[in-house]
Amino acid sequence: MSSACVNAFGSLVSYRSSSTLLMLGGHKSRLDLCNTSSNNMKPLKIVPMHNNNTGPLRATVLSYSTETSTQNEPRQTLEYHPTIWDENLIESIHSPYADGVFNTRIEELRVEVKHLFGQSYDLAADLELVDKIQRLGLAYHFSEEIDNVLAKVYTEGIESLRGLNDNALCFRLLRQNGYNVSSDVFNKFRDEKGFMKCLADDAKGLLSLYEAAHLAIPEENILDEAKEFSTEHLRKLLIKDKNSSIVELIKQSLEAPLHCLMPRIAARNYIDFYEKEETKSSCLLELAKLDFNVVQALHQKEVKELSRWWEDLGLAKKTTFFRDRLFESYFWASQIAPEPKFSKFRIINTKFALIATVVDDFYDLYGSIEEARIFTSAIRSWDVKAMETLPDDLKMCYLSWLNFANETMYDILKTYGWEAAQIFKPEWVCLCESHLKQAEWLHEGYTPSLEEYLHNDLVFGGLTIPVHAYYFVEENLTEETLDWRKKAYQISYLSALIVRLTDDLAPSEVMRLIVKCFQTNCRK
């Protein structure tokens, strides 16, 4: 898993600093309301953010032999930096916003905000409200109201809107919410030379156009032109008008558009911006602050639960060849689905990511080719007795995997009443067989084609994550929707492709294999 992410300003930051901000409740993280925050809380003691060794990761060869190996093969490992998260630090996390203390006030504010919808017969004003609610991270509170606004504007037609900002905002909101809307709506702002020069000083309109242009589909030339036009003139506006209230938003968007941001970080930064707006709604702002703090408190509670589970599992103490990344794994899950109702998803996928990381590092570097084959055979058998064939340092890894998979399937049986082994077992086996194939390629010095590599990684192994996501995010599972491959295969495949290629940017032996794949295909 990559150790970096993009924050709301678009710059690369470590998961460690971002997750500290969002989950440990640093001074810029929690949003204090009048008379609602505790002033007596002791500051958390933060462990050092980086280890002292700042040099590059180095491969280390260890002498090792097991009864199951036919040869005394040297091992390769990477000197991964140890986890920086202290268990006592995690247990010391406390938030005054936990345990439903503010639920009554949140419900009162939700009612007030709902009254803001429909106060005006102006569709553009409703679209602005929807945009603010989504940026503040509150969309899940008002899904019905947002759907009604978008359905209305889609029915009445985007053509009724005037001005670049209203058209671009409407286009973006409709398209990102699944409506089939044509980019031809921007033709009214173009002449024979392209986008009209009179738009060059419309900062708000240009920013909306820039954000909308990032939702282009292939061969949508007008949006490619819109992105180029808006980028050029937004940069000029930054130089010309440095004191405008919208300048900060322009800077953020030019570095990372809304479409590329992680929701909780984006919401945290937009709350600061919205608070400075003269036309802000006090009830909307208070709800945004309360909601952020309450959701953060829930995330902190989940991290505590996961930390205890990981500690009790004992893998990090007994086995040392893998990356111990509890916080990073949780942060990833929390940005995919941050809403409170997806708590089960975040916990299950964090556990999956932790155990899958152990297995990934075993196949990538630590295990001999013979051990990789034996481990894969054990996974195929799905039998605790298969532990007897494994070396000691893999027995805990295998049993942890088996227990997690069975607990996950039991959870689905308890919740939905159907047996999930027919879904999960094949995916877990495919994941290990995919790892084994890569290990064999490296062992044999074979360079696959790019098509071979992606087929092995995605079709056979790369869809395990979407499988876990589907069954813990899908809210209305029925007999017809149980087979995720029929319902969500294409979107899962494309998502896995993005994750796979992004993750492979990290340095590893497998990455060097991928580079060879690309080079081979380029020469062809």
Side-chain angles (χ1 to χ4, degrees), residues 494-505:
L494 294 174
S495 299
L497 177 61
I498 293 172
V499 172
R500 177 71 274 163
L501 294 178
T502 304
D503 189 60
D504 282 339
L505 292 175

Side-chain angles (χ1 to χ4, degrees), residues 21-22 36 94 112 212 452 464 481 518:
L21 171 70
L22 289 175
T36 60
H94 169 74
E112 290 184 44
E452 270 185 293
T464 316
T481 60
F518 276 101

Side-chain angles (χ1 to χ4, degrees), residues 228-246:
E228 183 179 347
F229 175 83
S230 57
T231 300
E232 176 188 352
H233 291 288
L234 284 172
R235 285 174 176 163
K236 290 180 179 178
L237 285 173
L238 285 180
I239 299 173
K240 188 184 345 181
D241 190 1
K242 296 183 179 180
N243 298 318
S244 172
S245 60
I246 203 173

Side-chain angles (χ1 to χ4, degrees), residues 368-382:
S368 67
I369 191 64
E370 182 62 26
E371 286 172 341
R373 289 168 180 155
I374 294 172
F375 188 85
T376 306
S377 179
I379 292 294
R380 290 192 193 104
S381 73
W382 210 269

Side-chain angles (χ1 to χ4, degrees), residues 39 49 53 107 112 182 191 198 239 251 354 368 381 449 511:
N39 295 320
M49 298 303 293
N53 181 13
E107 189 55 38
E112 290 184 44
S182 172
D191 54 28
C198 62
I239 299 173
K251 288 179 180 177
L354 286 166
S368 67
S381 73
S449 67
M511 181 55 194

Side-chain angles (χ1 to χ4, degrees), residues 450-451 453-460 462-463 466-467 484-485 488-501:
L450 182 59
E451 290 77 11
Y453 168 74
L454 292 178
H455 182 268
N456 173 69
D457 199 90
L458 296 178
V459 175
F460 284 102
L463 298 177
V467 169
W484 76 276
R485 285 184 176 270
Y489 180 80
Q490 186 177 21
I491 188 66
S492 297
Y493 178 88
L494 294 174
S495 299
L497 177 61
I498 293 172
V499 172
R500 177 71 274 163
L501 294 178

Side-chain angles (χ1 to χ4, degrees), residues 110 154 200 301 457:
R110 286 179 72 246
Y154 186 72
K301 181 180 178 181
D457 199 90

Side-chain angles (χ1 to χ4, degrees), residues 8 28-33 132-138 249 252 263-277 280 284-293:
K28 289 188 67 179
S29 174
R30 184 175 296 141
L31 293 156
D32 291 327
L33 300 167
K132 286 179 171 57
I133 286 174
Q134 290 187 344
R135 285 179 176 237
L136 291 168
L138 300 173
L249 276 186
Q252 293 177 19
R264 298 308 293 174
I265 296 179
R268 177 62 187 85
N269 283 287
Y270 191 74
I271 288 172
D272 285 344
F273 174 83
Y274 185 65
E275 191 167 23
K276 298 172 185 175
E277 280 196 1
K280 64 179 176 289
L284 184 57
L285 178 62
E286 185 182 352
L287 178 60
K289 289 183 175 184
L290 265 179
D291 179 79
F292 183 91
N293 289 334

